[in-house]
Amino acid sequence: MARAALLPVALLLCLAMASSADAGRKTVGVYELKNKKGDFSIKVTNWGATLMSVIVPDSNGNSADVVLGYDTVAGFVNGSSYFGALVGRVANRIAKGRFVLDGITYHLYTNDGNNTLHGGLRGFSKVIWTVKEYVPSGDSPYITFYYHSFDGEEGFPGALDVYATYQLSGSYDLRIRMNATALGKAKATPVNLANHAYWNLAGHGSGDVLGHQVRVRASRYTPVDDESMIPTGEVAGVAGTPYDLRRLTPLGSRVGLVSAGGAAGFDVNYAVEGDGFRPVAYVREPVSGRAFELWADQPGVQLYTGNWLRNEKGKAGAVYRQHGALCLETQGFPDAVNHPNFPSVIVRPGGVYKHHMLFKFSSPEQRSVL
Ligand SMILES: *[C@@H]1O[C@H](CO)[C@@H](O)[C@H](O)[C@H]1NC(C)=O
Ligand SMILES: *[C@@H]1O[C@H](CO)[C@@H](O)[C@H](O)[C@H]1NC(C)=O
Ligand SMILES: *[C@@H]1O[C@H](CO)[C@@H](O)[C@H](O)[C@H]1NC(C)=O
């Protein structure tokens, strides 16, 4: 009796050790999460807390990888498009790499003309994160990454402890939870994290996304100066403009009508309706039948249609071209540090930043009735 009871305990211990064997490591690795049915999985790497692949079935149950990327981590290290990356300390642009906080002027590395983009030269997407926890399978497999950002990193004030968790749950839900705690007692800092996945629901190498239908729950957006790509400060209505995506709209009917920084397509921040954790956008690819609804608790979402992709060599020999994917980056407003009328992205010492995203992919059964 005692022996029989001991055996399963020993077995459980072994399993627990195997699944957490990589926890605490700071070498670069690739980690997979898979649902019980085996038809929904992702791969991530602790290089930049990057989402490398997302495999989901279509309406006939056929699987495809629906995010752009590279076969190996080396590809992501070399790449310059932020495929799947977790960007920070401050995602999006900061005008002239400069802001004033509590009377002090901070200067950041400018890596986008005269502006700072996605955290500077070596933002959170270009550092090695620590794997804190890794549960690859079961009902809700997950992985948690941790990064300590030091006071002054890329010019930002104050040290920060950052966590990012990727988790599968339900039938086809992919959740990303981020948090960041401002350490020390003296310095406040801006924090604005974003996941920069490039989606193509027909499959990552299937061509352009102009046939994708998109709905964004926003009646306002933040127009930018077309040359500098910096918000003018206005929060304008979408009604009567090609930015109005309140009804499900094929991207192909709009990409020729909008442009940013001289390239055709969307690269725009929407002020999402409401607050708290709520639906933000819906994307559907009619041929495969794949769709997702995106939920998040952030004030904005940047819609980008891969306007600058030019013959980028990606996974499995695929070549990614202009409009080969779309990004929906939930986040604070761009350049919020320089626009007092935008929702604040400042975290006070001891304060905690939180960001919760949920991609609810429709199941094959749901798709057939859409
Ligand atoms: C690195 O990136 C450059 C420019 O995007 C590309 O031409 C080159 O093939 C890449 N090298 C590797 C090893 O991926
Ligand atoms: C950067 O700023 C300088 C000085 O204002 C200006 O001459 C230059 O055109 C700017 N560069 C870019 C790429 O915007
Ligand atoms: C941040 O996330 C980590 C990992 O999920 C968690 O352990 C920690 O408690 C969170 N921190 C805060 C302040 O919520």
Side-chain angles (χ1 to χ4, degrees):
M1 207 45 201
R3 201 174 285 180
L6 270 174
L7 224 145
V9 171
L11 208 93
L12 275 174
L13 277 173
C14 279
L15 287 174
M17 272 158 61
S19 58
S20 61
D22 287 325
R25 273 201 201 171
K26 224 186 161 175
T27 51
V28 172
V30 176
Y31 301 85
E32 186 175 36
L33 306 179
K34 195 176 250 178
N35 72 347
K36 270 191 170 165
K37 207 175 155 195
D39 64 348
F40 178 43
S41 64
I42 68 168
K43 279 187 183 147
V44 289
T45 171
N46 54 326
W47 169 263
T50 300
L51 183 60
M52 295 177 71
S53 70
V54 176
I55 295 178
V56 280
D58 68 6
S59 48
N60 297 314
N62 298 317
S63 286
D65 184 351
V66 295
V67 291
L68 274 54
Y70 308 97
D71 290 318
T72 62
V73 175
F76 289 88
V77 175
N78 178 55
S80 57
S81 300
Y82 300 93
F83 287 157
L86 204 302
V87 295
R89 184 179 297 201
V90 175
N92 220 307
R93 291 182 176 81
I94 294 179
K96 300 193 165 60
R98 180 190 167 279
F99 63 94
V100 179
L101 180 57
D102 296 335
I104 299 167
T105 303
Y106 293 98
H107 296 277
L108 311 171
Y109 189 89
T110 52
N111 59 330
D112 181 62
N114 290 331
N115 306 322
T116 298
L117 178 66
H118 295 333
L121 180 66
R122 206 190 68 125
F124 295 175
S125 54
K126 295 186 171 65
V127 297
I128 300 172
W129 295 56
T130 302
V131 177
K132 276 283 181 189
E133 284 186 84
Y134 176 41
V135 178
S137 55
D139 282 332
S140 23
Y142 69 96
I143 188 163
T144 298
F145 298 120
Y146 163 74
Y147 180 65
H148 174 81
S149 177
F150 58 87
D151 181 6
E153 186 169 18
E154 294 298 307
F156 288 105
L160 204 64
D161 268 346
V162 191
Y163 290 86
T165 298
Y166 288 89
Q167 182 164 40
L168 307 186
S169 62
S171 35
Y172 300 98
D173 290 358
L174 166 60
R175 215 175 275 279
I176 309 174
R177 284 179 189 273
M178 300 157 247
N179 72 46
T181 305
L183 306 171
K185 291 192 167 63
K187 292 177 193 164
T189 180
V191 179
N192 183 29
L193 308 180
N195 176 272
H196 208 301
Y198 282 64
W199 301 97
N200 185 324
L201 296 182
H204 72 97
S206 66
D208 67 55
V209 291
L210 301 185
H212 282 52
Q213 302 161 343
V214 176
R215 182 171 66 223
V216 178
R217 291 178 186 269
S219 56
R220 295 175 309 148
Y221 72 115
T222 54
V224 295
D225 172 89
D226 192 49
E227 208 170 315
S228 68
M229 294 289 298
I230 296 296
T232 60
E234 190 192 353
V235 185
V238 295
T241 79
Y243 293 104
D244 189 348
L245 299 178
R246 288 174 294 179
R247 288 167 187 271
L248 202 58
T249 306
L251 285 176
S253 70
R254 296 286 171 83
V255 285
L257 304 174
V258 293
S259 72
F266 288 89
D267 192 359
V268 62
N269 170 63
Y270 287 96
V272 179
E273 236 46 87
D275 49 34
F277 189 60
R278 64 211 186 285
V280 171
Y282 175 77
V283 180
R284 179 169 184 268
E285 199 285 303
V287 179
S288 65
R290 289 193 192 90
F292 68 69
E293 183 163 61
L294 169 61
W295 288 60
D297 57 3
Q298 296 296 297
V301 63
Q302 185 85 16
L303 170 64
Y304 173 59
T305 47
N307 309 340
W308 294 105
L309 288 176
R310 299 284 187 279
N311 299 321
E312 181 81 19
K313 292 187 186 67
K315 287 182 256 196
V319 177
Y320 306 136
R321 299 201 167 83
Q322 190 181 34
H323 306 143
L326 67 100
C327 304
L328 281 163
E329 310 152 50
T330 55
Q331 57 184 279
F333 291 5
D335 199 31
V337 278
N338 290 309
H339 297 280
N341 60 317
F342 286 0
S344 173
V345 295
I346 302 302
V347 181
R348 292 273 146 204
V352 182
Y353 160 95
K354 286 189 176 176
H355 185 165
H356 181 189
M357 299 178 89
L358 169 63
F359 294 90
K360 277 187 94 63
F361 293 93
S362 50
S363 66
E365 302 76 51
Q366 277 173 299
R367 276 165 213 139
S368 54
V369 299
L370 270 175

